[in-house]
Amino acid sequence: MSRHLWRRHAPLSVGRSVWGSGRSWRVLLIAAGLCAAAAAVTGIAFAAFDPAFEQPPGSPFAVGTNPHSIVMVDVNRDRKADLVTSNVGSNNVSVLLGDGSGGFVAGVPVPVGAGPHSVATGDFNRDKRPDLAVANSDADTISILLGNGDGTFTAASPLTAGDGPWFIAVADLNRDKKADLAVSNVFSDSVSILLGDGTGSFTAATPVPVGDTPYGIAAVDLNHDKNLDLAVANQFAANVSVLLGDGEGGFSAASGSPVSVGSGPSWVAATDLNRDRKVDLAVANQGSDNISILLGDGSGGFASAGAPVAAGDGPTPLVAEDVNGDKRRDLVVGNIHSDNVSILLGDGQAGFTPATGSPAAVGDGPFALAVGYLNKHKRPDIATANYFSNNVTVLLNTD
């Protein structure tokens, strides 16, 4: 296991032991991965279905040791979605090449730095081939892996981040049409801003202070000024920092920031949950087993939508996506203690109810998940990175 979070604090949410039977070391179960992009939806009624999910043949699929993050992306440009995991225990990245029907074969693993807790994807050198950025929390670095377009990668020079880089958001933070990185640093309570030059190189801008132990981070325009802003879940502070961007890579706290949420917030998803064309936030609270819904006012301010939404045991990764075809955002939540995924259907007014068949069973310790299209069914599927069972569960949307 990599650097332990009790370095400064007793763990807030403690789960199963890490090593062997009779395992005595316990860790704070947290996750990284990609947040859903913000999207406004209309009030038009659409025919919906109650989603059902099932595993395809071959699932779960083996990856490296202790996968802690997962992204869904076409790394070999065959128009079929592939999966990439960052593996904390084996210090590498696993590549699973998709066959377009929900099956996968292992590609060539890629070595990275020590303690790779998250992986994110973007085109960093503008060659139209997906690249990877990996946060190495034990090395305090970011590995940049430039895609060759065939499912393999070439390592560029690693970047220096803050103390304990954990989660990466990829976005154009200074409006130069080049991909930049925002990195939450769990031990220095800051967000590193790394501005890309379009060749795969990055320059550090001024880091931004946030709350105690920042994990999940989302980049989105929260105040309608066409500059990307940041929302950061601060786990030990039980709040979310809202940082307004100036369009040049600089950020300042919004009025009312930070915003209180539940216990142990680990993940934040930004999207329009009540169809008012303003970005809202859904926050997975690992310690209180629920989801806080924060309604945006369009100027960077947020207010609670009311009582939090119940989830499973230890909700950590969270994605907002329309999984039942009604043009309303739903929530897909990985529960790391109960080894399942909650599918919560949105009503378009920031209310949520469990889908039939929710939660869906997955592997041991689903620390991260990705939602997207893995076959030709044209309905969003789910893939989870299972930390303790060293594999990926694929759930195909069958309805």
Side-chain angles (χ1 to χ4, degrees):
M1 186 70 182
S2 60
R3 181 181 305 175
H4 301 294
L5 292 184
W6 60 77
R7 177 169 128 178
R8 296 185 308 167
H9 304 274
L12 185 147
S13 173
V14 178
R16 71 201 61 183
S17 312
V18 178
W19 311 118
S21 59
R23 308 160 179 174
S24 59
W25 292 9
R26 290 181 177 269
V27 294
L28 179 66
L29 297 177
I30 54 184
L34 292 177
C35 295
V41 294
T42 69
I44 301 172
F46 289 84
F49 58 91
D50 199 9
F53 293 87
E54 64 181 27
Q55 295 189 44
S59 177
F61 300 92
V63 291
T65 306
N66 305 135
H68 196 272
S69 181
I70 186 168
V71 293
M72 191 180 295
V73 61
D74 181 7
V75 297
N76 59 348
R77 299 192 299 174
D78 62 355
R79 300 187 180 184
K80 300 170 184 176
D82 310 307
L83 299 173
V84 179
T85 66
S86 62
N87 308 307
V88 174
S90 49
N91 294 329
N92 63 6
V93 167
S94 292
V95 178
L96 296 176
L97 300 177
D99 63 8
S101 64
F104 293 86
V105 296
V108 179
V110 186
V112 291
H117 276 88
S118 74
V119 58
T121 185
D123 185 3
F124 303 140
N125 58 352
R126 299 193 292 181
D127 63 354
K128 299 183 180 180
R129 301 169 181 173
D131 308 312
L132 304 174
V134 183
N136 306 307
S137 65
D138 289 356
D140 296 338
T141 61
I142 307 297
S143 294
I144 300 298
L145 305 176
L146 301 179
N148 298 318
D150 59 359
T152 65
F153 296 85
T154 300
S157 297
L159 311 174
T160 300
D163 191 1
W166 209 265
F167 190 99
I168 303 173
V170 178
D172 180 6
L173 302 177
N174 60 348
R175 299 200 303 178
D176 64 354
K177 299 183 179 180
K178 301 169 184 175
D180 309 309
L181 308 178
V183 185
S184 62
N185 304 301
V186 295
F187 298 121
S188 52
D189 297 339
S190 66
V191 172
S192 295
I193 305 298
L194 303 171
L195 301 178
D197 66 1
T199 70
S201 297
F202 294 81
T203 300
T206 302
V208 186
V210 289
D212 193 350
T213 316
Y215 289 3
I217 181 171
V220 63
D221 182 5
L222 298 173
N223 60 349
H224 294 180
D225 65 354
K226 299 183 180 180
N227 299 325
L228 290 185
D229 311 306
L230 301 175
V232 185
N234 304 306
Q235 182 146 51
F236 284 104
N239 60 30
V240 173
S241 293
V242 178
L243 307 173
L244 300 182
D246 62 9
E248 298 179 352
F251 294 87
S252 58
S255 177
S257 176
V259 183
S260 295
V261 291
S263 175
S266 60
W267 209 283
V268 58
T271 190
D272 183 4
L273 299 174
N274 61 348
R275 299 189 296 176
D276 64 354
R277 300 182 185 274
K278 299 170 184 176
V279 176
D280 310 307
L281 302 177
V283 183
N285 302 309
Q286 189 187 91
S288 49
D289 296 338
N290 55 27
I291 311 297
S292 294
I293 305 298
L294 303 176
L295 299 181
D297 63 8
S299 64
F302 291 88
S304 173
V309 181
D313 190 358
T316 300
L318 168 66
V319 171
E321 181 59 84
D322 178 13
V323 299
N324 67 336
D326 64 355
K327 303 298 180 181
R328 299 167 182 172
R329 292 286 167 168
D330 310 308
L331 301 178
V332 181
V333 189
N335 304 303
I336 57 178
H337 299 334
S338 49
D339 299 336
N340 55 26
V341 171
S342 296
I343 296 102
L344 306 172
L345 302 182
D347 62 6
Q349 300 177 29
F352 296 88
T353 56
T356 302
S358 175
V362 293
D364 193 353
F367 271 40
L369 60 82
V371 178
Y373 300 89
L374 297 177
N375 58 12
K376 298 178 181 179
H377 202 49
K378 297 183 179 180
R379 292 171 182 168
D381 308 305
I382 301 169
T384 66
N386 306 312
Y387 186 90
F388 292 105
S389 50
N390 303 324
N391 56 24
V392 167
T393 298
V394 171
L395 299 174
L396 297 182
N397 194 335
T398 59
D399 276 351

